[in-house]
């Protein structure tokens, strides 16, 4: 055994001697050239090709590295034997990743790709303008040479799409509002944000199920319609108008749309926007996959200045001092440039500036659709009009499920065997009550027995129906009296001569009676 170890030591000593001899005889440039030739020689006979994706490309961060890390996290939790676990900032989910120098096998279109996470300790330079991490991290992709045309660039595009989807799904959604008077925050953005935690979904939304399915299908078509919009030459955006009485669930509908698509919400406060240029800047600072909301558009700001220049003003004589008295056209242009106009809002929703981003949804809400300008209502700006109606029986069943925990089969059994549910169905259609009012009644009685809560709701619905009928009768009588007064005034205006002749006759008769009285008083 001793002789074996002696022989091994002799061989290692000889190798160390020859290595030092080679380093002293052959310069480093020559050794690098030999190593490169050998690498090419063996690579020529190899059936694989390799791609290195480093974390830092020069001095900038490599976006593809993060995309690959997210993409592999979906399958790393199943395939890999050792994992790294992290939770990124503003994310609501944990992310699995490959550990250092670990491998993972992936497949794409029937071909195999092998990923390896390579981590090397970095030698710190003596001087650097920018501090680098202690480790040099990167991914190495190994694929077969015959599959190179299949993987590049289709496989990389697939990785970017899947990583973007995972990032959007894991990232917390935010609710943005524009800063006061167009000011900027510390980062130079005109929007302030808070985490969006609204729990409303289409399952909990009190609305007719058929109408909800139509809206959800329209949203799905929009989110998956990138190729369609590009092929038809249309901007990838869509507009929705939610109108109806207050308390019918317009804000809940917006939250349900955001949760359904996973989009951020930009709540645009028009009263804080003073000029059209500010409105354009706000649009430029919004991101894709977002919902831009303008609530109560009919009463946010006055947008009637589009009609101020509808009729030309009469010509004025030329002033001897043109520099002291500006013309009316220049004054109108100045005032228009310093105020938010309807034209600016129209260009914001459907002009050239609306195309500076993609996959955006504009949502407008109003309680009085008749007050809106027809130019806002046309397709291209408000593509889909959604009427938020009073509470129907189908919406009432959704509210009963949300607040009282009543399942669908339980309500169906009550409808068949209970007179109370049939009375509720008739009363809710006649009461014209909003879902918000029904929710308030159910919230107050949620701790009581279900039957007692339903009886209380039925009492409220009957009172609402009775009050609505009384108001209708009062309005009808007032309207009838007004019509009678208008009819009398109309008759008086239509026959003025007849009225005058009657008045003249009365005057003559009165004058005759006065004459007879005077004659009787005279002495004989």
């Amino acid at each position: 055994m001793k002789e074996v170890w002696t022989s091994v030591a002799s061989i290692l000593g000889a190798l160390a001697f020859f290595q030092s001899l080679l380093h002293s005889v052959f310069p480093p440039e020559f050794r690098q050239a030999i190593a490169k030739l050998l690498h090419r020689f063996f690579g020529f006979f190899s059936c694989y090709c390799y791609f290195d994706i480093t974390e830092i490309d020069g001095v900038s961060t490599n976006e593809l590295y993060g995309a690959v890390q997210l993409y592999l996290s979906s399958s790393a939790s199943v395939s890999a034997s050792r994992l790294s676990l992290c939770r990124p900032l503003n994310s609501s989910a944990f992310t699995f990743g490959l550990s250092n120098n670990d491998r993972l096998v992936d497949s794409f279109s029937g071909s195999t790709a092998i990923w390896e996470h390579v981590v090397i300790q970095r030698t710190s330079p003596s001087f650097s303008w920018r501090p680098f991490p202690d480790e040099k991290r990167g991914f190495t992709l190994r694929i077969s040479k015959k599959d190179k045309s299949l993987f590049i660039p289709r496989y990389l595009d697939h990785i970017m799409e899947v990583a973007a989807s995972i990032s959007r799904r894991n990232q917390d959604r935010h609710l943005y509002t524009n800063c006061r008077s167009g000011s900027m925050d510390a980062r130079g953005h005109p929007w302030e944000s808070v985490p969006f935690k609204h729990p409303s979904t289409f399952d909990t939304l009190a609305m007719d199920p058929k109408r909800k399915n139509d809206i959800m299908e329209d949203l799905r078509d929009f989110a998956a319609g990138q190729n369609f919009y590009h092929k038809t030459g249309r901007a990838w955006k869509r507009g929705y108008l939610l109108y109806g009485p207050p308390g019918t669930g317009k804000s809940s509908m917006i939250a349900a749309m955001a949760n359904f698509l996973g989009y951020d919400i930009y709540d645009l406060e028009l009263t804080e926007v003073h000029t059209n240029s500010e409105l354009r800047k706000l649009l430029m600072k919004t991101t894709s996959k977002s919902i831009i909301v303008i609530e109560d558009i009919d009463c946010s700001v006055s947008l009637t200045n589009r009609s101020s220049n509808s009729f030309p003003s009469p010509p004025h004589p030329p002033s001897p001092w043109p520099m002291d008295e500006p013309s009316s056209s220049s004054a109108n242009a100045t005032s228009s440039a310093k105020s938010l106009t309807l034209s600016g809002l129209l260009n914001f929703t459907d002009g050239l500036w609306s195309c500076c981003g993609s996959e955006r949804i504009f949502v407008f809400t109003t309680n009085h659709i008749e007050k809106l300008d027809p130019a806002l209502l046309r397709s291209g700006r408000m593509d889909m009009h959604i009427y938020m109606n009073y509470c129907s029986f189908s919406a009432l069943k959704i509210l009963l499920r949300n607040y009282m925990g009543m399942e669908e089969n339980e309500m169906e059994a009550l409808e068949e065997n209970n007179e109370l549910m049939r009375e509720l169905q008739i009363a809710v259609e006649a009461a014209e009550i909003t879902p918000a009012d029904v929710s308030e009644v159910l919230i107050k009685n949620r701790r009581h027995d279900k039957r007692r809560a339903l009886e209380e709701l039925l009492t409220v619905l009957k009172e609402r129906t009775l009050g609505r009928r009384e108001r209708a009768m009062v309005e009808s009588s007032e309207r009838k009296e007004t019509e009678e007064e208008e009819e009398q005034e109309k008759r008086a205006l239509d026959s003025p001569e007849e009225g005058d002749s009657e008045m003249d006759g009365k005057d003559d008769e009165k004058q005759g009676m006065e004459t007879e009285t005077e004659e009787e008083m005279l002495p004989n």
Side-chain angles (χ1 to χ4, degrees):
M1 188 66 182
K2 184 177 179 180
E3 295 177 355
V4 174
W5 284 111
T6 304
S7 302
V8 171
S10 301
I11 294 173
L12 292 177
L15 291 176
F17 172 75
F18 282 112
Q19 183 180 8
S20 60
L21 182 63
L22 289 175
H23 285 180
S24 61
V25 174
F26 299 103
E29 293 80 3
F30 181 77
R31 296 198 305 271
Q32 292 177 2
I34 294 296
K36 185 182 296 185
L37 289 175
L38 291 175
H39 179 73
R40 290 183 178 180
F41 176 77
F42 289 110
F44 179 77
F45 292 99
S46 176
C47 60
Y48 294 102
C49 56
Y50 298 85
F51 298 91
D52 294 328
I53 303 173
T54 57
E55 182 183 16
I56 299 176
D57 184 15
V59 294
S60 60
T61 303
N62 190 357
E63 183 181 1
L64 185 57
Y65 175 86
V68 171
Q69 195 171 26
L70 277 177
Y71 172 77
L72 296 179
S73 65
S74 59
S75 56
S77 58
V78 179
S79 303
S81 57
R82 187 170 183 175
L83 304 172
S84 63
L85 189 62
C86 65
R87 182 173 180 175
L89 184 66
N90 294 330
S91 177
S92 58
F94 295 98
T95 302
F96 296 93
L98 284 177
S99 185
N100 298 347
N101 301 316
D102 200 358
R103 291 189 177 188
L104 183 98
V105 180
D106 188 30
S107 60
F108 178 74
S109 297
S111 301
T112 302
I114 300 177
W115 289 95
E116 183 179 0
H117 191 207
V118 181
V119 179
I120 303 174
Q121 292 295 326
R122 188 189 300 273
T123 56
S124 301
S126 58
F127 176 78
S128 176
W129 290 101
R130 177 186 176 186
F132 289 97
D134 297 333
E135 296 177 339
K136 182 179 180 181
R137 293 184 292 267
F139 288 100
T140 299
L141 171 62
R142 189 182 78 176
I143 59 176
S144 178
K145 288 183 177 179
K146 63 182 180 65
D147 298 330
K148 185 177 180 180
S149 59
L150 173 66
F151 274 82
I152 308 297
R154 290 175 52 194
Y155 185 49
L156 299 180
D157 293 339
H158 172 69
I159 290 174
M160 296 296 292
E161 292 177 2
V162 174
S165 176
I166 295 174
S167 177
R168 185 173 66 252
R169 186 170 61 250
N170 294 343
Q171 188 174 4
D172 289 337
R173 287 179 294 278
H174 286 80
L175 174 62
Y176 295 86
T177 184
N178 47 312
C179 299
R180 185 177 181 84
S181 301
S183 59
M184 303 288 183
D185 63 0
R187 298 173 298 169
H189 294 289
W191 295 96
E192 297 175 349
S193 66
V194 294
F196 181 69
K197 301 293 185 180
H198 201 291
S200 177
T201 62
F202 279 105
D203 291 335
T204 61
L205 190 64
M207 182 184 252
D208 181 65
K210 185 179 182 304
R211 294 178 60 205
K212 284 198 295 187
N213 291 332
D214 293 340
I215 297 171
M216 294 167 64
E217 188 63 28
D218 189 79
L219 292 172
R220 289 192 193 97
D221 292 340
F222 169 78
Q226 180 178 9
N227 296 331
F228 169 77
Y229 282 92
H230 288 178
K231 183 177 68 175
T232 55
R234 291 173 58 94
W236 193 8
K237 65 180 184 61
R238 191 155 179 81
Y240 293 85
L241 173 64
L242 309 180
Y243 67 100
T248 51
K250 291 183 283 292
S251 298
S252 298
M253 169 65 78
I254 297 172
M257 294 169 66
N259 289 327
F260 180 72
L261 295 175
Y263 288 3
D264 292 331
I265 295 180
Y266 288 84
D267 186 12
L268 178 59
E269 183 61 44
L270 287 180
T271 56
E272 296 295 338
V273 182
H274 302 302
T275 62
N276 295 334
S277 60
E278 287 184 15
L279 191 63
R280 289 194 294 267
K281 291 177 182 178
L282 288 170
L283 179 64
M284 292 171 60
K285 291 297 183 178
T286 59
T287 60
S288 300
K289 300 183 182 298
S290 59
I291 299 176
I292 302 173
V293 179
I294 303 178
E295 292 194 279
D296 298 325
I297 188 174
D298 58 301
C299 56
S300 294
V301 292
S302 177
L303 297 174
T304 59
N305 45 7
R306 188 181 68 148
S307 59
S308 60
N309 298 327
S310 300
F311 302 99
S313 58
H316 297 278
S319 174
W321 308 101
M323 297 299 294
D324 295 339
E325 298 180 0
S327 62
S328 60
S329 60
S330 61
N332 291 335
T334 304
S335 62
S336 176
K338 293 183 178 180
S339 62
L340 177 63
T341 63
L342 178 61
S343 175
L345 184 61
L346 296 179
N347 291 328
F348 173 81
T349 56
D350 192 33
L352 293 176
W353 288 98
S354 66
C355 307
C356 63
S358 61
E359 202 169 353
R360 286 195 182 98
I361 292 178
F362 292 87
V363 178
F364 304 85
T365 68
T366 180
N367 296 332
H368 305 282
I369 189 175
E370 67 277 0
K371 294 183 180 180
L372 299 184
D373 193 285
L376 273 171
L377 298 175
R378 73 164 178 84
S379 298
R381 295 188 176 110
M382 298 181 182
D383 302 291
M384 190 173 184
H385 297 186
I386 303 173
Y387 178 56
M388 307 299 292
N389 202 353
Y390 290 105
C391 186
S392 61
F393 185 63
S394 58
L396 176 60
K397 292 194 291 185
I398 296 175
L399 294 176
L400 293 176
R401 184 191 63 191
N402 295 341
Y403 294 99
M404 307 301 297
M406 298 179 65
E407 298 297 334
E408 186 69 24
N409 54 0
E410 184 179 358
M411 284 184 283
E412 290 178 357
L414 286 175
E415 289 181 48
E416 295 176 358
N417 305 318
N418 195 342
E419 186 67 24
L420 181 59
M421 289 297 292
R422 288 191 287 270
E423 291 182 4
L424 279 174
Q425 182 175 3
I426 298 173
V428 74
E429 300 292 346
E432 290 190 358
I433 188 172
T434 63
D437 293 334
V438 175
S439 301
E440 182 62 25
V441 176
L442 296 178
I443 289 174
K444 291 180 179 179
N445 296 274
R446 69 184 185 276
R447 299 184 183 277
H448 299 161
D449 182 70
K450 294 180 180 179
R451 183 174 182 83
R452 180 180 173 184
L454 295 179
E455 291 175 352
E456 181 68 23
L457 178 60
L458 181 59
T459 303
V460 173
L461 293 177
K462 289 181 177 180
E463 292 176 355
R464 182 66 63 92
T465 304
L466 182 61
R468 192 175 69 84
R469 289 176 180 173
E470 291 177 353
R471 287 193 301 271
M473 291 176 62
V474 172
E475 292 175 358
S476 177
S477 61
E478 292 177 353
R479 186 168 56 252
K480 188 176 181 180
E481 292 177 359
T482 305
E483 291 176 355
E484 290 178 355
E485 293 177 357
E486 292 177 353
E487 185 67 23
Q488 291 178 359
E489 293 177 359
K490 184 178 179 181
R491 290 177 181 176
L493 292 175
D494 290 342
S495 56
E497 296 180 355
E498 182 179 353
D500 293 342
S501 61
E502 292 179 356
M503 293 298 294
D504 293 341
K506 292 180 179 180
D507 292 341
D508 293 342
E509 183 179 356
K510 183 177 181 181
Q511 185 176 2
M513 292 176 64
E514 291 177 354
T515 305
E516 291 178 356
T517 305
E518 291 177 357
E519 290 178 353
E520 291 177 355
M521 294 177 64
L522 290 175
N524 292 329

